Amino acid sequence: MTTLTIALLQLTPPGPDLAVNLALGEAACRRARALGADIALFPEMWSNGYSCAVPEGSARGDVYRHPSLRDGARTPAEPWPESVWLGEPITRDSPFVTRFRELAAELEMAIALTYLERWDGPPRNTLSLIDRHGRLVLTYAKVHTCAFDLPEAGLTPGEGFEVCALDTAVGEVMTGAMICYDREFPESARALMLAGAEIVLTPNACDLEINRLSQFRSRAVENMTGMAMANYAGPGWGHSVAHDGIAFAGGRSRDTLVVEAGEAEGVYPAVFDLDALRDNRRREAWGDAFRRPAAYRSLLDREVREPFIRVGPDGAPVPGRSRS
């Protein structure tokens, strides 16, 4: 059996101090390696702990951290406080990222590092995958930013989904990434599968209740990909989870769950059987085996119609879409 171990770093949300977060992150990576991890996966935006301030006295409070999707859509008539991210955006060649590159090479372990990335315009919500040699092999920015709510309404969305051939101790593994809200869109995981992904890494920063957990299981099965998600620890949070996407074995239904954490802080190894995963992809009916793309032309329609018209705090539609 050829196995790949992904350590889900379910950590307590930190503050915006880069030096503190670097030290905490390094300690977590060392623990992951001691547990036999091939990849260490951080929660979303580890560099600043997803911390954001808004004007004191606003209806939403004076500090934002880990906003959920529970509040629903907003309308332009409602007041929107101007958000300010806590912690400076950083570049992929910053000392913060460079130190994790050095650590990956030292530990001979890949690290999926997340951070608030400096960009031409508003910053991005970014993951950089560092291989076990310390090389940056994939940098991905969150496509489905939460444009309906602060603070993410002020981010620059990514523009697509890519996959890399990640060099591991057991050979190359085709690896892709999506971030938090991305997993709620079937198209995200589908695009990664079509690009060749065997494993999808998913940093997260929100409460993982039954519906989101069920969606994530479905993404694994419908694409026959291994899915790994790391969330922040804490009451109402946690539940970092991994699924192998193998829905049937020996002619019988099986549970795809590899591991699911509770709410406590910890490093949770998810061990994937790559041989079984690849065999499943060669013979089962999901993935790209029986798709009929000619029937899906409406998926490329950029116009949004009622009842799905939504706007952000500035009254503009979701980036990349138009309104009728």
Side-chain angles (χ1 to χ4, degrees), residues 15-17 21 45 47-54 62-65 83-89 116 151:
D17 189 312
N21 298 349
M45 257 205 277
S47 69
N48 77 333
Y50 213 121
S51 298
C52 187
V54 296
D62 60 358
V63 175
Y64 276 46
R65 178 170 291 158
S83 64
V84 179
W85 286 102
L86 299 178
E88 287 295 317
L116 181 65

Side-chain angles (χ1 to χ4, degrees), residues 4 40 189 251:
L4 180 80

Side-chain angles (χ1 to χ4, degrees), residues 226-307:
M227 307 286 292
M229 177 161 54
N231 196 26
Y232 284 105
W237 290 69
H239 294 280
S240 297
V241 67
H243 290 275
D244 61 20
I246 305 172
F248 290 88
R252 294 187 176 185
S253 175
R254 64 180 292 277
D255 190 347
T256 65
L257 184 67
V258 176
V259 66
E260 181 181 342
E263 296 180 344
E265 183 174 43
V267 175
Y268 297 89
V271 181
F272 291 88
D273 181 342
L274 289 178
D275 293 333
L277 173 64
R278 288 164 174 167
D279 177 65
N280 186 60
R281 290 165 66 84
R282 280 190 294 266
R283 60 182 174 77
E284 271 292 2
W286 292 284
D288 198 26
F290 294 99
R291 290 175 65 249
R292 297 185 177 180
Y296 313 146
R297 288 186 292 271
S298 61
L299 294 178
L300 298 178
D301 187 354
R302 296 169 69 95
E303 186 176 343
V304 185
R305 301 174 180 85
E306 292 289 5

